[in-house]
Amino acid sequence: MTDPERASIPPGVHDAAGAWLVRRRAGADAAVEQAFAAWLEADPRHRIAYGQVVRDWRDSAQLADSAVGRTRKLVRAPFLMRRSTHVGAVSLSLAALLGLGTVGIVRHTGSFGFVAPAEAATYQTGVGEIRSVRLADGSNLTLDTSTVVHIRFSRASRRLDLAQGRARFSVAKDDRPFTVGVPGGEIVARHTLFDVSVVGPQPLVSLIEGEVALLSTAPDGKGRPQRLVGGEQAALGQAAEPRPLSMADARWVSGMLALEQTPLGNAVAAINRYNRTQVRLADPHLASLAVTGAFQARDPQQFARAVATMFGLTVDKSHPDSLLLQSRRARTSTLP
């Protein structure tokens, strides 16, 4: 579905499509299926929306269907869904039906694309773009917003260098080692599924399935490979023990920004990576407020409205390229 097609479908149609998905997965009878068929035929947009909801559900359920998800190693997080509480009810109903914990249904609003395989190439995404690449060895690479990855495959090795941003690596079986280079070290894998981020002060590795070795060249590294197993997350170069991976942290591939008790300052920085319209904080003290929820990464207005509701703030939209979050008291004091 192209972006114009998505934009032409009202949110209520997507909500209705999600409700039909719940009813059908619960074990629909002939009457339900007949009503569903009539709903599909009533408007061409219904069929498009239902197909998108099914695809998004499969994307969201991918982690829960993984080995880590089945053993419940991933930390669950509550989710604040987009505009409709009905969508949240849909996701929770499906989660209850399938025993998958908290899973959100989302609609992709960014640019998604697929690129042909290459032995040596550089892949790059723009602001708000998420791109999937199938590599020459059968591995899959997903690049987050503003990400650059350099790829060099040879007969003896498979090497990718993450220059900036964040990426997910689904590694195909191969006799050659699969190495991801980052500032201050590298990650060596075989047949695994993991994320690597170089957005923060230190590279962060989140292992969803399998096992990897972290090799640090930083002065504060352990000096020996650090083993990471499925369901763990660690900053490369730190001596601290790995911590449990939150499923919320792994949902970015579906175009969602998931937060768990995240300082508002960090949350604002994360949402701003995806958008040219920037969210700002009028008062530095607001940066310490803790935010929990899930938001569409490319919808800064929805994010600003939700945060304002959470903490009793207002959103100043007077600047064309920014959304200013400020306390109601500060807003009142500026009025004539």
Side-chain angles (χ1 to χ4, degrees), residues 78-82 251 256-259 292-296 302:
F79 282 82
L80 174 68
M81 301 313 295
R82 52 183 180 86
R251 294 193 186 280
M256 296 296 288
L257 175 66
L259 308 171
T292 294
F295 311 88
Q296 291 190 34
Q302 182 261 351

Side-chain angles (χ1 to χ4, degrees), residues 159-162 179-188 196 198 202-203 205 213-219 221 236-237:
R159 183 174 180 87
L160 301 88
D161 289 289
L162 180 58
T179 303
V180 178
V182 294
E186 58 187 25
I187 302 97
V188 181
V196 181
V198 293
Q202 290 180 303
V205 182
L214 310 184
L215 308 176
S216 175
T217 57
L236 196 149

Side-chain angles (χ1 to χ4, degrees), residues 17 20-21 24 36 39-40 46-54:
W20 278 114
L21 179 60
R24 300 186 73 217
F36 172 65
W39 180 79
L40 283 182
H46 293 179
R47 190 177 298 276
I48 295 172
Y50 185 77
Q52 180 65 22
V53 165
V54 170

Side-chain angles (χ1 to χ4, degrees), residues 15-334:
D15 295 347
W20 278 114
L21 179 60
V22 171
R23 295 177 67 184
R24 300 186 73 217
R25 293 193 72 95
D29 55 22
V32 170
E33 288 298 324
Q34 184 177 3
F36 172 65
W39 180 79
L40 283 182
E41 295 300 324
D43 190 323
R45 297 176 298 179
H46 293 179
R47 190 177 298 276
I48 295 172
Y50 185 77
Q52 180 65 22
V53 165
V54 170
R55 287 191 295 273
D56 288 340
W57 166 248
R58 289 171 180 168
D59 290 344
S60 298
Q62 177 186 8
L63 295 178
D65 286 337
S66 68
V68 174
R70 289 192 296 271
T71 57
R72 306 297 177 93
K73 289 181 180 179
L74 295 180
V75 177
R76 302 174 192 169
F79 282 82
L80 174 68
M81 301 313 295
R82 52 183 180 86
R83 295 180 179 85
S84 172
T85 55
H86 183 61
V87 177
V90 168
S91 67
L92 292 175
S93 299
L94 281 169
L97 286 172
L98 303 181
L100 300 180
T102 302
V103 179
I105 297 178
V106 298
R107 287 193 298 128
H108 297 313
T109 56
S111 302
F112 288 77
F114 292 88
V115 183
E119 293 288 345
T122 295
Y123 295 110
Q124 182 172 354
T125 52
V127 175
E129 181 183 11
I130 297 176
R131 176 180 301 173
S132 294
V133 180
R134 186 168 180 83
L135 304 180
D137 67 333
S139 298
N140 287 300
L141 169 66
T142 303
L143 292 81
D144 197 5
T145 179
S146 304
T147 296
V148 179
V149 178
H150 305 291
I151 301 173
R152 297 194 306 275
F153 282 10
S154 68
R155 291 183 178 181
S157 66
R158 298 175 290 173
R159 183 174 180 87
L160 301 88
D161 289 289
L162 180 58
Q164 69 179 54
R166 174 169 57 178
R168 171 164 296 175
F169 305 88
S170 179
V171 183
K173 290 183 178 180
D174 195 299
D175 291 335
R176 297 170 295 175
F178 188 99
T179 303
V180 178
V182 294
E186 58 187 25
I187 302 97
V188 181
R190 288 288 181 178
H191 183 51
T192 55
L193 178 66
F194 63 102
D195 294 348
V196 181
S197 171
V198 293
V199 176
Q202 290 180 303
L204 183 66
V205 182
S206 303
L207 187 57
I208 300 166
E209 280 190 348
E211 180 179 327
V212 298
L214 310 184
L215 308 176
S216 175
T217 57
D220 58 347
K222 290 185 176 181
R224 58 183 176 82
Q226 180 181 6
R227 177 174 171 269
L228 206 62
V229 298
E232 292 184 336
Q233 184 181 72
L236 196 149
Q238 287 188 342
E241 291 299 317
R243 60 181 180 270
L245 169 65
S246 166
M247 182 175 282
D249 293 339
R251 294 193 186 280
W252 64 268
V253 293
S254 292
M256 296 296 288
L257 175 66
L259 308 171
E260 292 181 79
Q261 291 296 302
T262 303
L264 181 56
N266 294 350
V268 166
I271 199 79
N272 285 344
R273 291 185 59 237
Y274 290 87
N275 300 282
R276 299 194 184 281
T277 298
Q278 300 283 281
V279 179
R280 311 283 186 194
L281 299 178
D283 184 347
H285 292 94
L286 297 176
S288 61
L289 297 172
V291 181
T292 294
F295 311 88
Q296 291 190 34
R298 291 197 65 201
D299 193 344
Q301 294 195 26
Q302 182 261 351
F303 171 83
R305 287 196 303 268
V307 170
T309 300
M310 287 179 190
F311 302 111
L313 307 176
T314 63
V315 183
D316 182 351
K317 303 178 183 178
S318 60
H319 301 282
D321 298 321
S322 66
L323 300 167
L324 184 66
L325 286 168
Q326 59 186 2
S327 66
R328 295 186 185 278
R329 184 187 309 173
R331 174 68 174 170
T332 302
S333 65
T334 60

